[in-house]
Amino acid sequence: MNAILIKLFATALTLSQVTTRPDAVRTQFDPAKDGAQVVAILRDGCAHMRKSFDIEDINLDELISTAMEDPSAVAGDNAPKILHGLDIAELNTSYKQFCKGENPANSPFEAAAVIAFYNNAVKDLPSAEALRDIKLPSASVILDSAGKPYSETFETHGRRLVVPIEGVPDLVQKAFVAAEDKRFYQHHGIDERGVIRAFVGNLASPGRPAGGSTITQQVVKNLSVGDDVTYERKIREMIVASRLERLQTKPQILGLYLNGIYLGRGAYGIEMAARSWFGKSVGALTLPEAALLAGLPKGPNYYSPDKYPERARERRAYVLSRMKEEGTITEAQMNAALVADLGIKPPDAARQDSGFYLVDHVARETRSFAGLETLTNASYTVRTTVNAGLQSALEGALQEGLAAYERGTGRARYEGPELNLSEAIKRIEAAAPAPAAEPAPAPETKKGARKGADKAAAKAPAKSTVQPAWQRALVSARPPLYDVRWPLAVVLQTGKNGTKVGLPDGRVASLEPGPARGKLQLYDAVRVRLREGKGSLRADLRVRPTVQGAAIVLENRTGKILAMSGGFSYPLSQLNRVTQAVRQPGSTLKPLTYLAALNAGLQPNTLVMDSAVTLPPIGGTGDSWSPKNYDGGGSGATTIRRGLEFSKNLVTARLLQGGIAAKAPDSLQRVCDIALEAQLYAECERYYPFVLGAQPVRMIDLASFYAAIANEGARPSAYALEAVERDGKPVYRHPDKAPVRIGSADRVAFYQLKTMLQGVTQHGTAAALSGISAYVAGKTGTSENENDAWFAGFSNEITVVVWAGYDNADGVRRTLGRGQTGGHVSVPIARAIFQAAWANGVPRTPLAPPSPETKALIADLPIEPRSGQRVASGGFIEHFRLKGGQVADTQYALVPRDTLYAMRPDAEDGDYGNAEDGADVAGDLFGNLPGGRRTTEDPFTQRRSAETDSDRTADPWGLRRDRREEPQAWPGRDRYGQVNPVPFGSPFDDEGDTRTRQRRRDPDYLFGDDPGY
């Protein structure tokens, strides 16, 4: 028996059963015993078909005979591939045997072969009950802090928003029924007339085959048996569809269909499609919009309004004519809808292009906090803390900053275009002269519907001006790095006359190819940064860097994550380096030690020796510790404030030697206690290099600690999930929790530390921020060998932390390069993020004075900033802790006066000494850098920040023994012991500036003959 004939008879056996005995469909027959029963079922089925067609006054015999008049049309070269090899005479004989009661002697029918095929096809048949209880994969809508849609989360083939059938307007329901299954409310899952028409039509009209599937069958195909184009799938589909009709009502089945179908632009279901195409809910769809969507199930790509607007109009016209024919709409309504614009929204307006790391983090929080297994098993509304504008700006600042680092160091490498659009442009150009013909309609459309569609298409508006093929290809391109903020451009010209690129808006710009010079090909799609100004539009090539980075913006008072990026680009790496990675924080951890010292009673003007120190082994075992400054030298006696502002390793280490507790191990324990209470670590490694940032930390925990400094010790818990709702009912809401106070240090210590960190941005290692230092305080950090570059800082409202470095996934630690410090790499990025925050609704206010509780416990008094000595007036205002209502004078607690006096070399006036090592670049309190320089507004154009080598947590284990020791310094002198005067009250110029400097006054000078006193 012919193989095709076997499949056709097995399908006919299925159709006969579901139409004549739907309650007793057999899924197994005995090939040896049940042949006669199969013949009986096939004859019953044919008789049923005759009756069905008699209702419409159609002669089935004539219909089939007409189709079989020209066997060459079926079996010839123009026949559908599925019918090649079929003997039309055998088919005709079989028809007579089962439908006309004949018993031909030469019958090709073999019951055993048909039964074997049928039994195999229905093996492991899916349950219709599973469809009744199915929960469709859904997309959850994620809202930003303003309550606007920001993102969606969904499984593959599950980007849908499930809507109850009651929520779908009657007009929309009727549009789909008219387009897809006009007898939906009459048949019982299988429309036998539609099946036979499709079969006969496929015989008589070779071309794109018609299927004849009902809406019920499409539900089964989409959600149960799959979409294989096989007879086996068709058999399984008909049986399950018949059973589903006995379990579900028609509205329920239509609801499954409307929520399950794919309608283009990645949208499944009518609600998501309405939002994706028109930016509105299904309940707000107009007649032309409903008709456009109802035309898409037949071919979402073929009829795509994005790619083929004319086809979309023709298909919409067909749906409108069917609705008019069914009496759903009037002729006037149809005519008005025919001339309506397609009205679709741009694709990019419907899809997320930023915040992928943050959305992932929110999904994890829904599991941890809300107890939801997944956000895709239902349609949830998820409210988050994200500031959408700031999130996009943060990603742009991080990406530009990392690329600027690689360009500046010569590490940028062009590895080829993101994609090439040559083939896409060829396809568009080939389709431009004349759109492809519409597929041949199924026979049932010929009864007036096609005529109406033709008339409707003629009334459709003319096509608008055609964009260049390259622009259409560029607009519809889906680049792999979909979250990169630089615009995508297509190369239109290369060679001696320069390089030109086209932009999505149609403009053309001259391109500076940079590292891609001589490597670009026509129609390469590349990333650019535009330079708009006078003259022609210009662009610079942007190359994806290999260096990684991360950044976070945290609201100080609440802990809300306003923005977060865990890497350069989410498609490249889904590792969130803000929450899922730990890195050595370097000097950004030093504030812990200074906080412990301030809490122990030391004042910011307390002098500490910036000189060699060796700390004994902890517990009497192991090695002693002799750290070094990066430059190997020291600057002698300096204040605690200056030690932090210029990130002195030796000063930090010496605070363990009596500055916090009597013994170094006890001091280290105090620092660890604060670190643990601040939740920077679950465990603290009790070894001395810890104080210089040797123990890796999570960025999000570091951000919470710096927010605590801004809050005078109240640490917020970082979070991004505000609430989860389902069908308007609350599922989870983040509890209102006040920040938890870090009790290991008091408010006074935190406020003093805050003012010291403002000094870092005014004239210390983050002096590149001096222009905004009235609003920002913070600390730079660079780990050993410049493997990590950090900045952590805060304003009154937010904390910003930025990290840059190479991943260590291969076990190799890669340096950023000499001089690539936190101040040089991360500070410019942080500056751009602060500015973006202020541009996106975060208030810009000067750093707050002490709280009332703290103000009562401090006194603001002027000091000479280099020596820390109190002065009568002018100078720098320092913030002193009060003890018993009096200022606790600790200036010489660690370096006694007589020690300082003895350190002075013998000289004629007894006042010579060495100033600090000139390696530090400093500025004044008003944001000026040495030589009258000021920071620029564009953070990425700065050649060098004011950070010094001493910020780097280099050699924390004291292994570098070849560095020279600088002579001990004396405040007010240069390294050669010469007077280096500056104006009274001017701070910290270590560059050998020759401006007038205030004379140093010996604190125990007993004579009143100095007119400068």
Side-chain angles (χ1 to χ4, degrees):
M1 187 174 179
N2 182 278
I4 296 178
L5 207 57
I6 291 173
K7 297 176 181 179
L8 289 175
F9 274 114
T11 306
L13 175 62
T14 309
L15 181 61
S16 297
Q17 288 194 88
V18 298
T19 55
T20 63
R21 57 198 73 185
D23 295 333
V25 174
R26 289 186 60 178
T27 56
Q28 287 292 309
F29 290 93
D30 188 323
K33 299 178 181 179
D34 293 334
Q37 186 178 2
V38 167
V39 170
I41 293 173
L42 287 171
R43 284 179 170 173
D44 289 347
C46 194
H48 175 82
M49 298 299 168
R50 285 175 175 277
K51 291 180 181 179
S52 297
F53 278 89
D54 286 344
I55 294 173
E56 293 188 7
D57 196 24
I58 294 176
N59 190 313
L60 185 61
D61 290 343
E62 288 184 8
L63 194 65
I64 294 178
S65 297
T66 301
M68 295 182 179
E69 282 178 357
D70 184 7
S72 63
V74 177
D77 293 337
N78 294 326
K81 292 182 179 179
I82 58 173
L83 298 178
H84 274 294
L86 175 64
D87 187 331
I88 198 69
E90 289 186 348
L91 181 62
N92 201 6
T93 300
S94 299
Y95 169 70
K96 292 177 180 179
Q97 177 181 356
F98 294 106
C99 294
K100 304 188 76 172
E102 298 180 8
N103 293 301
N106 59 341
S107 172
F109 180 75
E110 297 176 12
V114 173
I115 290 173
F117 184 87
Y118 176 83
N119 288 349
N120 184 67
V122 297
K123 185 171 56 178
D124 300 323
L125 192 68
S127 166
E129 285 79 3
L131 284 174
R132 180 188 59 191
D133 304 323
I134 192 171
K135 289 185 177 180
L136 295 174
S138 302
S140 289
V141 177
I142 297 175
L143 308 180
D144 64 14
S145 58
K148 297 179 180 179
Y150 179 71
S151 177
E152 302 157 357
T153 180
F154 51 88
E155 296 176 359
T156 303
H157 308 308
R159 183 175 173 256
R160 65 167 53 81
L161 296 174
V162 176
V163 58
I165 189 62
E166 297 80 13
V168 180
D170 186 62
L171 184 70
V172 177
Q173 296 184 38
K174 290 180 177 178
F176 278 87
V177 170
E180 290 294 307
D181 187 1
K182 69 176 184 179
R183 296 187 61 247
F184 173 67
Y185 290 103
Q186 287 77 47
H187 65 64
H188 300 287
I190 310 298
D191 184 1
E192 51 268 44
R193 280 173 277 182
V195 172
I196 296 301
R197 277 202 182 96
F199 176 69
V200 172
N202 291 337
L203 286 176
S205 303
R208 183 176 177 178
S213 292
T214 65
I215 282 178
T216 311
Q217 286 176 270
Q218 291 184 57
V219 168
V220 172
K221 179 183 72 173
N222 293 334
L223 304 179
S224 179
V225 301
D227 58 357
D228 293 340
V229 186
T230 64
Y231 284 93
E232 289 90 336
R233 188 267 296 171
K234 198 70 175 177
I235 290 169
R236 295 159 70 85
E237 174 189 295
M238 285 194 288
I239 296 175
V240 177
S242 174
R243 292 174 174 176
L244 181 62
E245 284 273 345
R246 293 183 288 114
L247 294 173
Q248 297 274 72
T249 65
K250 288 291 186 179
Q252 289 173 326
I253 293 172
L254 185 59
L256 276 175
Y257 173 73
L258 292 176
N259 281 302
I261 52 174
Y262 178 66
L263 293 168
R265 280 193 178 176
Y268 288 80
I270 186 66
E271 176 66 17
M272 183 62 77
R275 297 190 187 194
S276 297
W277 287 108
F278 303 112
K280 61 176 69 172
S281 180
V282 63
L285 290 176
T286 63
L287 172 59
E289 291 168 348
L292 181 67
L293 292 184
L296 290 177
K298 188 176 181 66
N301 184 62
Y302 187 86
Y303 294 108
S304 169
D306 283 330
K307 299 177 181 178
Y308 310 107
E310 288 307 303
R311 293 181 188 173
R313 287 189 179 92
E314 291 180 10
R315 181 64 180 164
R316 182 182 69 176
Y318 164 73
V319 175
L320 289 168
S321 67
R322 286 287 304 114
M323 295 177 73
K324 160 66 171 54
E325 184 179 313
E326 293 297 317
T328 302
I329 59 175
T330 66
E331 185 169 357
Q333 288 175 310
M334 180 185 75
N335 292 336
L338 288 172
V339 297
D341 188 76
L342 291 180
I344 61 174
K345 300 293 184 184
D348 290 342
R351 301 303 297 269
Q352 173 191 1
D353 64 354
S354 69
F356 293 95
Y357 289 104
L358 191 141
V359 169
D360 262 7
H361 181 69
V362 168
R364 286 191 293 273
E365 286 194 345
T366 60
R367 291 193 292 271
S368 301
F369 299 158
L372 301 179
E373 182 180 349
T374 175
L375 285 174
T376 60
N377 62 3
S379 295
Y380 296 100
T381 298
V382 182
R383 301 183 183 276
T384 73
T385 62
V386 63
N387 180 317
L390 177 56
Q391 177 65 41
S392 295
L394 177 144
E395 292 178 11
L398 180 64
Q399 290 165 1
E400 180 64 23
L402 296 177
Y405 152 74
E406 287 205 342
R407 290 196 309 274
T409 56
R411 295 190 177 191
R413 295 288 183 271
Y414 179 70
E415 302 293 342
E418 199 163 331
L419 66 163
N420 186 282
L421 301 180
S422 297
E423 292 301 319
I425 292 172
K426 287 179 183 178
R427 286 196 299 269
I428 292 172
E429 290 175 339
E438 185 177 0
E444 68 265 28
T445 65
K446 293 182 178 179
K447 191 178 179 181
R450 184 63 212 171
K451 183 177 179 182
D454 292 338
K455 186 184 298 183
K459 295 183 179 181
K463 190 174 182 179
S464 59
T465 303
V466 178
Q467 297 174 329
W470 65 260
Q471 185 182 2
R472 292 174 63 189
L474 183 62
V475 169
S476 60
R478 293 294 177 261
L481 304 185
Y482 44 75
D483 61 347
V484 170
R485 311 310 302 172
W486 301 308
L488 194 68
V490 58
V491 176
L492 302 178
Q493 172 186 300
T494 61
K496 296 180 180 180
N497 295 326
T499 304
K500 302 283 188 182
V501 293
L503 302 172
D505 59 9
R507 291 183 296 170
V508 176
S510 298
L511 178 71
E512 171 52 53
R517 190 177 302 279
K519 301 177 181 179
L520 295 175
Q521 303 294 323
L522 192 64
Y523 300 139
D524 279 350
V526 295
R527 299 287 181 172
V528 300
R529 191 183 193 196
L530 300 179
R531 285 186 280 135
E532 302 191 48
K534 294 181 179 179
S536 60
L537 182 64
R538 305 189 67 83
D540 296 315
L541 185 76
R542 284 293 180 261
V543 176
R544 173 178 67 84
T546 56
V547 71
Q548 274 292 355
I552 185 174
V553 180
L554 199 68
E555 190 173 79
N556 295 335
R557 184 179 57 83
T558 63
K560 293 178 180 178
I561 300 173
L562 303 185
M564 168 202 291
S565 182
F568 172 79
S569 174
Y570 184 82
L572 286 174
S573 169
Q574 287 77 56
L575 175 68
N576 189 337
R577 293 159 186 82
V578 174
T579 62
Q580 296 175 312
V582 293
R583 299 290 294 223
Q584 286 188 341
S587 296
T588 56
L589 202 71
K590 286 179 180 175
L592 273 177
T593 303
Y594 288 83
L595 180 63
L598 294 168
N599 193 68
L602 297 184
Q603 304 281 23
N605 73 331
T606 303
L607 292 171
V608 183
M609 292 304 301
D610 182 21
S611 60
V613 62
T614 298
L615 300 181
I618 297 176
T621 60
D623 297 328
S624 58
W625 185 51
S626 300
K628 301 287 184 181
N629 285 335
Y630 185 83
D631 58 11
S635 56
T638 188
T639 63
I640 288 179
R641 172 180 285 276
R642 286 174 59 77
L644 181 60
E645 290 172 345
F646 296 105
S647 202
K648 300 292 188 178
N649 292 344
L650 293 176
V651 172
T652 307
R654 278 188 173 273
L655 286 175
L656 300 179
Q657 199 176 45
I660 300 171
K663 296 181 179 180
D666 295 334
S667 294
L668 176 61
Q669 186 59 53
R670 298 270 184 91
V671 177
C672 278
D673 289 343
I674 298 177
L676 294 175
E677 189 178 0
Q679 298 184 37
L680 280 165
Y681 301 100
E683 295 182 6
C684 177
E685 297 288 344
R686 293 190 72 253
Y687 65 127
Y688 294 124
F690 171 83
V691 300
L692 301 184
Q695 183 174 340
V697 68
R698 286 199 315 165
M699 178 185 286
I700 193 170
D701 298 326
L702 192 64
S704 292
F705 172 64
Y706 272 79
I709 300 174
N711 295 338
E712 290 186 5
R715 179 192 179 277
S717 295
Y719 73 97
L721 178 64
E722 287 279 21
V724 180
E725 300 166 5
R726 182 179 180 184
D727 299 329
K729 299 178 181 179
V731 175
Y732 165 82
R733 185 166 301 279
H734 187 272
D736 292 329
K737 294 191 300 185
V740 178
R741 181 156 298 283
I742 300 174
S744 299
D746 62 14
R747 285 180 174 269
V748 173
F750 273 105
Y751 179 72
Q752 288 177 315
L753 177 62
K754 172 181 168 181
T755 67
M756 292 161 65
L757 291 174
Q758 188 175 21
V760 174
T761 62
Q762 287 175 327
H763 48 255
T765 59
L769 297 176
S770 59
I772 59 172
S773 61
Y775 314 97
V776 174
K779 183 73 185 72
T780 54
T782 313
S783 66
E784 186 177 13
N785 294 326
E786 289 96 348
N787 290 323
D788 304 273
W790 292 83
F791 176 78
F794 53 84
S795 67
N796 284 330
E797 291 76 24
I798 59 173
T799 289
V800 174
V801 181
V802 176
W803 166 83
Y806 291 96
D807 285 336
N808 297 333
D810 56 1
V812 177
R813 301 185 69 198
R814 183 179 177 188
T815 177
L816 291 165
R818 182 165 179 82
Q820 303 307 311
T821 60
H824 183 49
V825 179
S826 297
V827 164
I829 300 173
R831 180 186 177 93
I833 293 172
F834 273 113
Q835 290 170 333
W838 295 327
N840 283 278
V842 176
R844 175 172 173 156
T845 55
L847 284 175
S851 63
E853 300 94 323
T854 303
K855 187 174 178 61
L857 300 174
I858 61 172
D860 294 341
L861 301 172
I863 64 167
E864 197 285 314
R866 291 184 66 83
S867 66
Q869 293 178 7
R870 298 261 299 277
V871 295
S873 61
F876 171 76
I877 301 300
E878 189 56 271
H879 312 279
F880 290 92
R881 177 190 294 272
L882 296 178
K883 188 175 182 179
Q886 301 295 317
V887 173
D889 186 1
T890 64
Q891 185 179 9
Y892 301 102
L894 301 182
V895 184
R897 287 189 178 92
D898 55 355
T899 301
L900 287 175
Y901 189 84
M903 287 169 53
R904 295 180 298 171
D906 292 333
E908 184 175 344
D909 65 359
D911 200 25
Y912 290 91
N914 293 320
E916 287 200 48
D917 181 23
D920 291 322
V921 179
D924 64 24
L925 292 175
F926 308 102
N928 296 306
L929 300 178
R933 295 179 288 118
R934 292 188 67 86
T935 56
T936 62
E937 283 303 310
D938 184 352
F940 302 114
T941 61
Q942 298 181 39
R943 293 181 177 274
R944 189 74 164 87
S945 78
E947 185 178 5
T948 71
D949 289 343
S950 61
D951 172 68
R952 299 168 221 171
T953 309
D955 195 23
W957 293 274
L959 301 178
R960 295 179 181 172
R961 305 297 183 186
D962 57 343
R963 299 285 189 177
R964 63 182 176 83
E965 289 288 332
E966 288 291 336
Q968 300 300 319
W970 178 255
R973 298 286 174 167
D974 64 21
R975 69 179 66 210
Y976 305 107
Q978 302 299 312
V979 175
N980 191 9
V982 296
F984 184 84
S986 177
F988 329 135
D989 189 290
D990 295 329
E991 291 286 290
D993 197 318
T994 57
R995 292 173 293 176
T996 303
R997 186 188 295 275
Q998 170 69 18
R999 286 185 66 195
R1000 177 192 163 274
R1001 178 75 184 180
D1002 196 319
D1004 53 0
Y1005 185 72
L1006 300 179
F1007 305 97
D1009 56 358
D1010 183 359
Y1013 188 76

